[in-house]
DNA sequence: AAATCCTATTGCAACGTTACAGTTCTTGTC
DNA sequence: GACAAGAACTGTAACGTTGCAATAGGATTT
């Protein structure tokens, strides 16, 4: 009887020749165990119709020879890419934001079979373009985007096309979706309260770009707290955290030299705060004396600024991890509620010389 | 005559139904042009044995319907992944280094069919592990690594296994490979010369971790210049740019309070310089008066430190682009010489208040 | 007019995987 | 003892691509 017409994969031959051993495939295991390829495939994914003994045997052999499913094979057959795409603007701000985000995502994906692919776009392009690319070419199972707008075309697009995604920031467009956000409203409120407690009266807000969702949040918290504390705002003309560092410094100096200069700042971003501090000092004023600054920070660098300064930490690495879990949750069909998280600011910390 | 037994891909049916149009494949184009799949495949890659008219017609149709080769199909068939893997330590230093590197790589890869995959590892793991993973699973066509050691096991491993790669930093192990590096030797030399010109006598070096290649380069330039200028070194005990920011600040303060404190610093990294400045000021000394600092910077943030400070810019975005071109060059078999580049520091710049 | 040689095109097979539709064998039921 | 039912396993086909060997048809040579 022709006990086995299963061909031994040329594996053995190649290996004996001492050359580069081509990686083991299902066929290799099938040959080694004397089973069919299909059985091996199912045994490895714990399908119920495979006998317990067989399953164990297959899994043992697979582990022994270091079998890893060929991604291209799986992808071609199932359409599943095992890829999460992080869509990034390459004209991105200065600072470690992207680094930390990537670290956070990477760590969360590490124990999974997912790879992280960076999909860039530059300011010149339509922000929708990279997203469309990923959707059209089905080159990822899920997408993470940041710099969210209240009415974000990317969110609409991916929702309509059934592409799982998570956003770093909330939207306000009547579409439920996974997100992670920092409570910027609470932040700016606390910042104002801190400045009020310090006796400051005329506050300026270094706000995010006005098209982004968290602009509103931060503004609202700022405005509400101003009202409650009976303080007034000194408008920061046209400046946002997105300005070039040098430009921002100049604007700050100019602002400080006006008759009704602010005596307190709430800063919406870590890197911008350096410019703020420099701008204030350049105008001849002293922090902790003429003016106080409360800033968010995503690194620990502001701790090193010797002028007295108040900071609230935003953990971007954590955000990355949350976002990764959110997309994965979406992909595996978990219910929406568990995929939406907001991290709240800890109390304002003072770092004094 | 059965003019065509080519089956129309269910494309049309699906599209007519108004549902999600499955992306066009070679089969789609073959059906539309009345040609065979093979012909279409070859026509699209400008194979010489295809008639000019046919080629043009195929390419036109392909463009019209927005055909994009299915990556999984190509990858399964050819083994080519069209992926470049960036291997990263997720315990990475503070600051925008990784961001800029990724931006640079992304921009260089944008006009190519290559995707950028981030392959992380944490300090607890063997640094060789992620590299081995990529090689064993053939999950990338090329690899970029940083934090290079003079005798780097990853370089050895990838060379032995024929995996194209480029390194951010040089090695000294008798293996030729593509790299990009910053001339840290020239940098520390120029830094010392600048400090000498300012009349400083006792210099300290905030060096990179001693296992890394550029530690030697920076040290050599420092030592040579010290000798030439007849200056002496004040050893910076155990401190490297890899220390935690806070620790580094403390060490600096301690150093400054010793009897033979330095009157000049050469800093090997941007983020560490913040700690240096803070440490000096905490000890009660003034920059530009008691002590001068020359630092590398990879962002523009140091420009904002108001104490007088001297900086040399290192363009990490450029490094990323160079590295990307180097791996791609390696993959396409370009000769080694054109894949090795060193960027030289511009003159020391002063940023004064 | 036959043989030869190109040119342009073709189908088949295979990469590694999984869905599907069997097939064999054991066990239990009447 | 016949038969149904389930358990355990199997082969075939297909995802989209490209290398290979083959072929049809026309032009060129003999």
């Amino acid at each position: 009887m022709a006990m086995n017409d299963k061909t031994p994969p040329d594996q053995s031959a190649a290996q004996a020749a001492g050359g580069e051993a081509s990686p083991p495939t299902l066929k290799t295991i099938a040959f080694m165990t004397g089973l069919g390829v299909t059985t091996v495939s199912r045994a490895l994914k714990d399908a119920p119709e495979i006998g317990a003994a067989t399953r164990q045997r297959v899994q043992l052999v697979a582990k022994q020879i270091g079998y890893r499913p060929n991604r291209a094979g799986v992808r071609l057959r199932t359409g599943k890419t095992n890829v999460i795409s992080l869509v990034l603007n390459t004209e991105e701000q200065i600072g470690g934001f992207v680094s930390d985000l990537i670290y956070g995502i990477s760590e969360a994906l590490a124990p999974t079979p997912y790879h992280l692919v960076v999909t860039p776009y530059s300011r010149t392009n339509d922000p929708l373009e990279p997203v469309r690319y990923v959707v059209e070419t089905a080159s990822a199972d899920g997408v993470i985007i940041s710099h969210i707008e209240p009415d974000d075309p990317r969110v609409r697009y991916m929702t309509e096309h059934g592409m799982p995604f998570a956003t770093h920031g909330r939207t306000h467009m009547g579409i439920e979706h996974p997100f992670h956000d920092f409570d910027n409203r609470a932040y700016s409120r606390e910042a104002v309260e801190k400045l009020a407690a310090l006796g400051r009266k005329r506050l300026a807000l270094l706000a995010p770009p006005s098209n982004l969702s968290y602009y509103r949040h931060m503004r609202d918290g700022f405005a509400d707290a101003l009202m409650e504390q009976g303080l007034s705002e000194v408008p920061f003309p046209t400046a946002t955290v997105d300005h070039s560092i040098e430009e921002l410094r100049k604007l700050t100096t100019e602002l400080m030299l006006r008759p009704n200069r602010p005596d307190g700042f709430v800063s919406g971003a870590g890197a911008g705060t350096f410019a703020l501090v420099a701008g204030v000092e350049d105008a001849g004023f002293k922090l902790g004396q003429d003016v106080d600054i409360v800033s968010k920070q995503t690194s620990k660098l502001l701790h090193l600024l010797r002028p007295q300064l108040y900071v609230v930490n935003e953990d971007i690495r954590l955000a990355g991890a949350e976002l990764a879990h959110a997309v994965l949750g979406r992909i595996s069909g978990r219910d929406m509620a568990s995929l939406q998280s907001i991290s709240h600011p800890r109390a304002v910390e003072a770092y004094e010389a």
Side-chain angles (χ1 to χ4, degrees), chain A:
Chain A
M1 79 223 214
M3 189 201 142
N4 231 338
D5 50 351
K6 288 154 192 161
T7 2
D10 37 13
Q11 198 66 6
S12 41
Q15 241 153 357
E20 288 289 314
S22 60
T25 69
L26 289 180
K27 208 167 163 189
T28 317
I29 303 180
F31 176 66
M32 291 176 73
T33 55
L35 295 166
V37 179
T38 305
T39 310
V40 173
S41 172
R42 319 216 71 169
L44 286 176
K45 38 178 58 68
D46 291 318
E49 66 268 35
I50 302 296
T54 307
R55 172 161 53 236
Q56 284 200 359
R57 197 157 60 94
V58 169
Q59 292 184 351
L60 179 70
V61 172
K63 181 169 245 178
Q64 286 286 338
I65 65 175
Y67 167 78
R68 319 227 204 181
N70 179 305
R71 308 191 121 233
V74 175
R75 180 163 170 179
L76 182 57
R77 181 66 243 252
T78 65
K80 182 151 211 272
T81 62
N82 282 301
V83 161
I84 299 297
S85 169
L86 173 65
V87 174
L88 279 186
N89 184 342
T90 51
E91 322 261 357
E92 191 63 60
Q93 266 323 85
I94 219 165
F97 173 78
V98 166
S99 307
D100 283 330
L101 196 65
I102 286 176
Y103 295 153
I105 298 172
S106 291
E107 276 171 7
L109 295 185
T112 77
Y114 285 88
H115 283 181
L116 173 62
V117 170
V118 172
T119 306
Y121 69 101
S122 56
R123 192 167 287 161
T124 54
N125 296 350
D126 180 5
L128 197 52
E129 195 244 288
V131 169
R132 202 161 11 202
Y133 170 82
V134 172
V135 169
E136 283 175 1
T137 63
S139 60
D141 297 337
V143 174
I144 296 174
I145 57 175
S146 65
H147 293 79
I148 304 304
E149 304 180 11
D151 187 272
D152 200 301
R154 299 168 297 174
V155 167
R156 195 180 306 285
Y157 184 85
M158 287 193 279
T159 303
E160 280 169 2
H161 290 79
M163 169 63 79
F165 66 95
T167 64
H168 185 230
R170 278 162 287 174
T171 57
H172 304 278
M173 51 202 295
I175 294 180
E176 283 287 299
H177 60 85
F179 67 80
H180 176 81
D181 205 355
F182 181 77
D183 190 348
N184 285 289
R185 194 177 214 286
Y187 158 69
S188 53
R189 163 182 296 277
E190 284 182 23
V192 169
E193 285 166 1
K194 181 71 188 179
L195 291 170
L198 290 165
R200 300 304 176 184
K201 302 292 183 202
R202 300 180 313 284
L203 308 189
L205 172 68
L206 177 58
S210 62
N211 59 314
L212 300 186
S213 290
Y214 79 111
Y215 168 80
R216 265 263 75 80
H217 304 147
M218 200 174 286
R219 265 232 146 274
D220 287 351
F222 184 75
D224 288 359
L226 274 192
M227 181 89 78
E228 285 171 26
Q229 305 286 332
L231 308 179
S232 65
E233 172 173 11
V234 180
F236 208 141
T238 66
T240 78
V241 294
D242 235 20
H243 268 81
S244 94
I245 282 298
E246 191 49 29
E247 209 173 337
L248 191 50
R249 183 191 57 72
K250 270 194 221 135
L251 285 169
T252 306
T253 301
E254 281 171 29
L255 184 65
M256 288 302 292
L257 293 177
R258 291 202 190 155
N260 69 331
R261 58 178 179 78
D263 58 5
F265 282 95
V266 176
S267 170
T273 304
F274 282 95
L276 227 50
V277 171
V280 166
E281 291 183 344
D282 285 0
F285 295 98
K286 245 182 99 64
L287 265 82
Q289 194 168 307
D290 310 301
V291 95
D292 276 306
I293 298 182
V294 179
S295 174
K296 277 211 297 190
Q297 83 169 344
T298 60
S299 68
K300 299 282 169 202
L301 278 188
L302 286 177
H303 288 195
L304 295 168
L305 287 184
R306 280 305 165 251
Q308 188 172 324
L309 188 68
Y310 302 89
V311 301
V312 171
N313 289 299
E314 177 176 359
D315 189 339
I316 300 299
R317 206 182 259 255
L318 171 72
E322 288 288 321
L323 286 167
H325 288 129
V327 221
L328 295 188
R330 187 72 235 256
I331 290 171
S332 59
R334 289 239 311 280
D335 67 291
M336 204 62 83
S338 66
L339 308 176
Q340 302 178 330
S341 61
I342 297 177
S343 79
H344 299 279
R346 299 192 163 281
V348 177
E349 298 173 42
Y351 288 92
E352 322 189 5

